[in-house]
Amino acid sequence: MTSYQLPSSGLEAVLENINLGVVVVDAECRVLFWNRFMVIHGGRLPDEAVGRSLFELFPDLPERWLRQRVRGVLTLGNLAFTTWQQRPHLFPFSGTRPITSQLSSMYQNCTFFPLHNGQGEPLAACIAVTDATDTAARQLELERLNALLEVEKEQQAKLIHRLEEAQAQLLQSEKMAAIGQLAAGVAHEINNPVGFVYSNLNSLRGYIDQLTALVDGLQAQVQACGNAQLIEACEALGRTSDYAFLREDTPVLLAESRDGLDRVKRIVKDLRDFSHVDNGEWQLADLHQGLDSTLNVIWSEVKFKAKVIKQYGELPPVQCIGAQINQVFLNLIVNAAQAIVEHGTITLRTGTLDDRVFVEIQDDGPGVAEDLARRIFEPFFTTKPVGKGTGLGLSVSYSIIERHNGVLSVSSPPEGGACFRIVMPCRQPAPS
Ligand SMILES: Nc1ncnc2c1ncn2[C@@H]1O[C@H](COP(=O)(O)OP(=O)(O)OP(=O)(O)O)[C@@H](O)[C@H]1O
Ligand SMILES: [Mg+2]
């Protein structure tokens, strides 16, 4: 066994009492020197440790790794280190600061260095063990707090996003409410004149029918009397006033005016619905029946454009104003049919989500462009040609679903197609 002469008594006392583990080992990792720190934490007196292998004293030491380290120090004469982050507990010492269960073992930084003889030849390896539990405890606590902060930051970012969404929705419902009031006023103002024009137009058609019958009768009488002068005068009058054309064109004009008025009436009705003027009855309705009957009403408009696939789930009766929900179905299905360019598929999908139900109306048309997705729910927003769309269908539908405490949304993947989704509760909350 290699012997090693310790320095003078002063140095020996320092080595002995320093708050640092000092172990000197030979090339075989047999202990040559063992200070007080090692006695306290290793639980063996120097007599019990010196001369024995480190692996006998601490069977859990990483033997291969440690032997390599000691050999490296002795043959190359280099220093080597391990920190508590790489090898938290090289020696199985109890924690000096047992704050948490994680810190019940001592965290250590270790330095390996050679001890030389007078000729500069490495004789032994010294392992200096620093107790790093304090630093480790602080660092680990900082890491833990940092992780918590990261989680909190993420939650805050999500919250801000949700707030932004809520604000956008609030803005939209405020806008809807303001426009609703305006629409109610406009609908009211238009409704009266449209009412009397409509009824006058009906009377006018009757009068014109009578007048035409009168003129036709007079003409027939004149023809029958055989008075050539009278017949000629009568025909001249007919030519001057272009009676034949008037007779033919007046009913056409009247019919067109009636169609126009019908359109105005429809718009007024939409405006009234939109502004909640006509409140229907709350009832428990079968939404599948609603979808089916709505589809029947508009079948003539849909059948040439699309095949309809029904993927109905199980739905409980849903508390709603049936007429209004049907109006939403109608708007969405007509939109889907109108969006399809030549011929496509409309899928009607239903199902439940806990105590809510969903209805999806999906088409395989070109879809809704991303920049339009927010605007399509605005009243009077339309991309359809004049006379084809009023731009009220979706805004009316949106406010109806909102009144049912539900949400109407759209998704439109880049590859095309639009899916309008209604999610609403089966039962309405009790009015507060
Ligand atoms: N399924 C769909 N696919 C693509 N775009 C759609 C679809 N549904 C609605 N849109 C777009 O949203 C716009 C607004 O729809 P909305 O139903 O409110 O009005 P409209 O259909 O134009 O007129 P109308 O008042 O007659 O319903 C449409 O003009 C269209 O651009
Ligand atoms: Mg529409």
Side-chain angles (χ1 to χ4, degrees):
M1 190 189 305
T2 326
S3 69
Y4 178 71
Q5 286 290 264
L6 280 172
S8 61
S9 61
L11 263 182
E12 194 176 337
V14 172
L15 268 183
E16 185 59 28
N17 295 302
I18 195 164
N19 188 22
L20 194 74
V22 180
V23 191
V24 179
V25 293
D26 65 8
E28 297 308 317
C29 291
R30 271 189 302 256
V31 176
L32 304 175
F33 176 76
W34 183 262
N35 76 348
R36 239 164 86 90
F37 181 101
M38 296 304 289
V39 172
I40 295 169
H41 297 287
R44 315 241 186 193
L45 292 168
D47 285 353
E48 297 169 308
V50 173
R52 291 171 72 185
S53 149
L54 273 180
F55 309 109
E56 206 182 307
L57 295 168
F58 304 109
D60 290 337
L61 280 178
E63 185 168 345
R64 245 183 83 185
W65 177 86
L66 197 58
R67 281 191 190 283
Q68 259 178 8
R69 212 51 24 153
V70 169
R71 215 170 298 134
V73 165
L74 288 176
T75 50
L76 303 173
N78 285 344
L79 263 68
F81 306 91
T82 68
T83 65
W84 65 267
Q85 282 106 331
Q86 301 159 326
R87 282 187 185 274
H89 319 289
L90 180 61
F91 290 96
F93 297 161
S94 302
T96 47
R97 198 172 175 273
I99 299 171
T100 68
S101 57
Q102 275 180 321
L103 300 181
S104 60
S105 301
M106 182 199 288
Y107 284 80
Q108 299 145 27
N109 292 330
C110 299
T111 311
F112 298 75
F113 55 92
L115 299 176
H116 301 102
N117 63 11
Q119 283 75 50
E121 293 157 355
L123 277 185
C126 181
I127 308 171
V129 184
T130 318
D131 178 359
T133 311
D134 246 10
T135 319
R138 286 206 190 93
Q139 176 98 3
L140 290 174
E141 181 63 4
L142 276 178
E143 279 172 15
R144 193 181 66 83
L145 291 176
N146 212 20
L148 281 181
L149 278 177
E150 282 295 328
V151 170
E152 213 166 292
K153 202 170 109 189
E154 217 169 277
Q155 281 170 346
Q156 276 180 355
K158 275 191 196 144
L159 205 66
I160 289 171
H161 183 67
R162 273 182 30 209
L163 275 175
E164 278 171 357
E165 271 183 0
Q167 193 195 19
Q169 253 179 29
L170 203 69
L171 277 179
Q172 181 154 41
S173 29
E174 270 175 14
K175 200 160 67 177
M176 292 283 183
I179 291 169
Q181 269 183 351
L182 189 80
V186 173
H188 183 74
E189 291 302 318
I190 296 178
N191 211 25
N192 282 341
V194 166
F196 67 71
V197 171
Y198 200 80
S199 114
N200 288 355
L201 207 65
N202 273 341
S203 308
L204 195 63
R205 203 176 54 188
Y207 297 165
I208 284 175
D209 285 348
Q210 281 173 356
L211 278 175
T212 317
L214 178 70
V215 175
D216 287 352
L218 284 174
Q219 277 184 340
Q221 290 292 333
V222 169
Q223 292 288 345
C225 80
N227 183 332
Q229 208 179 350
L230 197 58
I231 293 172
E232 176 49 34
C234 187
E235 282 176 355
L237 272 177
R239 277 195 299 276
T240 317
S241 59
D242 207 355
Y243 176 68
F245 173 74
L246 292 184
R247 193 182 184 287
E248 200 180 305
D249 202 37
T250 312
V252 177
L253 289 185
L254 284 173
E256 276 179 6
S257 306
R258 223 187 116 106
D259 278 356
L261 272 180
D262 279 339
R263 271 197 1 226
V264 174
K265 277 177 99 177
R266 250 195 344 261
I267 293 173
V268 170
K269 185 176 174 305
D270 278 347
L271 284 173
R272 287 167 74 94
D273 288 341
F274 176 66
S275 56
H276 312 185
V277 173
D278 300 321
N279 268 334
E281 287 286 309
W282 284 94
Q283 60 202 172
L284 282 176
D286 176 354
L287 295 192
H288 291 150
Q289 211 171 46
L291 277 168
D292 292 344
S293 58
T294 306
L295 201 57
N296 286 339
V297 173
I298 47 173
W299 188 238
S300 60
E301 197 159 337
V302 174
K303 66 181 174 196
F304 296 113
K305 294 298 287 289
K307 185 171 91 178
V308 175
I309 297 176
K310 295 180 186 173
Q311 293 177 349
Y312 290 173
E314 289 273 312
L315 285 191
V318 175
Q319 194 181 10
C320 63
I321 302 174
Q324 292 189 354
I325 294 294
N326 287 351
Q327 194 189 343
V328 175
F329 294 159
L330 180 137
N331 285 332
L332 298 181
I333 299 171
V334 168
N335 275 354
Q338 287 175 345
I340 290 167
V341 184
E342 279 182 5
H343 197 272
T345 307
I346 298 176
T347 309
L348 308 179
R349 207 173 289 116
T350 64
T352 51
L353 300 162
D354 300 327
D355 53 353
R356 291 169 302 157
V357 291
F358 72 86
V359 178
E360 284 178 358
I361 289 148
Q362 185 175 9
D363 64 67
D364 56 1
V368 183
E370 206 183 327
D371 52 331
L372 295 187
R374 267 172 190 274
R375 300 196 55 203
I376 57 172
F377 295 103
E378 288 176 11
F380 301 108
F381 176 83
T382 181
T383 53
K384 291 169 191 169
V386 181
K388 180 102 176 146
T390 60
L392 280 172
L394 283 179
S395 60
V396 170
S397 306
Y398 185 93
S399 70
I400 290 176
I401 298 301
E402 203 179 40
R403 222 174 311 151
H404 284 75
N405 292 299
V407 176
L408 171 63
S409 57
V410 61
S411 58
S412 188
E415 62 271 19
C419 180
F420 284 83
R421 182 176 170 88
I422 302 164
V423 179
M424 57 187 273
C426 299
R427 291 287 180 281
Q428 294 298 314
S432 51

